[in-house]
Amino acid sequence: ILQTAAINYTGELRATTTGGNIQVENPFNLTGNAFFSTGTATGDIIFNNSINGKQNLNLAAGNGSVFLRSTVGNNIPIGNLIIDSANNLTATNAITATSITHKNGTGSINLKDFNTTGGNVELTTVSNLVTGNINTTGGAIHLTSQQAAINSGDLFSKASIGGEIQVKANISISTGIIDSSGFIGNGGNVTLEPLNDIHVKYIITQGGNNGSGGNLHITTNRFFRATTRFYVNGTLTTRSPFVVTDSARCTNRHGGQR
């Protein structure tokens, strides 16, 4: 799709091929919901410039891959980003959207920072899953690597009511800070489940004055490591890497040591 200026349109936009690539070279403005599909073959969907606008973007690359090679939602956050199918999903810049859903990946996911405006982040793929920081402002964060590892930056679902954070991998999990705090109501539950090692900075699931802390579940056959102390209400924490409050439960099952 080639134009000499930014791409605008009226109503829905649908672009479909039967295995050929779809490549967008110019800035793309979502003035209506947009649907791009390369069918079930190996055609890629490639955006080489920025994407902005409040509408939804739906991508289906079949056995091909999706490449987002510029900013997404940096001027105007986009609506829901939905990847129905893709081998690899790669973004080289930050993304801001209402939500992101990609639960049928057959290759790897490699994203930079991702921010939602309260919506969920749902990412599932077969191979490695790599992200920068994710901040959902109360939306849930669900990350799954069915046969490999997950490596992420900070995972923040903290808001007036914290969102659930669930990270599951076949090999290992490495993240920064995990914070599902509720400022007013409940904190979100946190679940970490790899077969092998877990490495985090620290985990907070505490609730606000009108809520309770979220439950914390950690299950691994090998080592769990949390490496950073931090402040809660102006006080430096002790050795424990967890902060859960009120009726929250903390379950830590591992085959190595903390």
Side-chain angles (χ1 to χ4, degrees), residues 87-91 100 102-103 105 107-111 122-131 144 151:
N87 181 25
N88 300 320
L89 169 62
T90 301
I100 179 173
H102 176 38
K103 297 196 289 187
S108 63
I109 294 175
N110 196 323
L111 304 177
E122 305 267 359
L123 299 174
T124 297
T125 195
V126 172
S127 191
N128 290 323
L129 196 165
V130 179
T131 77
T144 302
N151 191 321

Side-chain angles (χ1 to χ4, degrees), residues 75-250:
N75 291 327
I76 301 173
I78 71 170
N80 299 308
L81 176 57
I82 303 165
I83 296 94
D84 287 325
S85 61
N87 181 25
N88 300 320
L89 169 62
T90 301
T92 56
N93 291 271
I95 297 173
T96 302
T98 299
S99 69
I100 179 173
T101 303
H102 176 38
K103 297 196 289 187
N104 298 307
T106 56
S108 63
I109 294 175
N110 196 323
L111 304 177
K112 300 299 184 183
D113 292 351
F114 199 101
N115 300 294
T116 76
T117 55
N120 297 341
V121 173
E122 305 267 359
L123 299 174
T124 297
T125 195
V126 172
S127 191
N128 290 323
L129 196 165
V130 179
T131 77
N133 300 327
I134 297 176
N135 189 339
T136 63
T137 319
I141 300 173
H142 293 163
L143 308 178
T144 302
S145 171
Q146 296 169 338
Q147 296 181 11
I150 293 176
N151 191 321
S152 80
D154 299 335
L155 303 179
F156 289 156
S157 64
K158 56 185 179 180
S160 57
I161 298 175
E164 179 184 58
I165 299 177
Q166 185 181 97
V167 186
K168 297 183 178 183
N170 189 57
I171 296 178
S172 62
I173 294 171
S174 178
T175 78
I177 301 164
I178 296 177
D179 190 341
S180 64
S181 299
F183 303 143
I184 298 173
N186 294 340
N189 295 335
V190 172
T191 301
L192 304 178
E193 292 183 2
L195 289 179
N196 294 317
D197 294 350
I198 299 173
H199 179 277
V200 303
K201 287 186 175 179
Y202 59 81
I203 302 169
I204 305 180
T205 70
Q206 65 184 2
N209 292 334
N210 297 324
S212 60
N215 297 325
L216 174 60
H217 302 280
I218 297 172
T219 303
T220 178
N221 293 331
R222 282 178 51 84
F223 295 98
F224 173 81
R225 296 181 177 90
T227 59
T228 305
R229 297 172 71 191
F230 56 98
Y231 287 87
V232 176
N233 298 326
T235 302
L236 187 65
T237 58
T238 61
R239 183 173 180 270
S240 174
F242 315 122
V243 171
V244 294
T245 59
D246 303 321
S247 60
R249 296 178 295 173
C250 178

Side-chain angles (χ1 to χ4, degrees), residues 2-8 25-29:
L2 300 174
Q3 285 192 332
T4 57
I7 299 172
N8 299 279
E25 295 291 346
N26 287 71
F28 187 73
N29 296 322

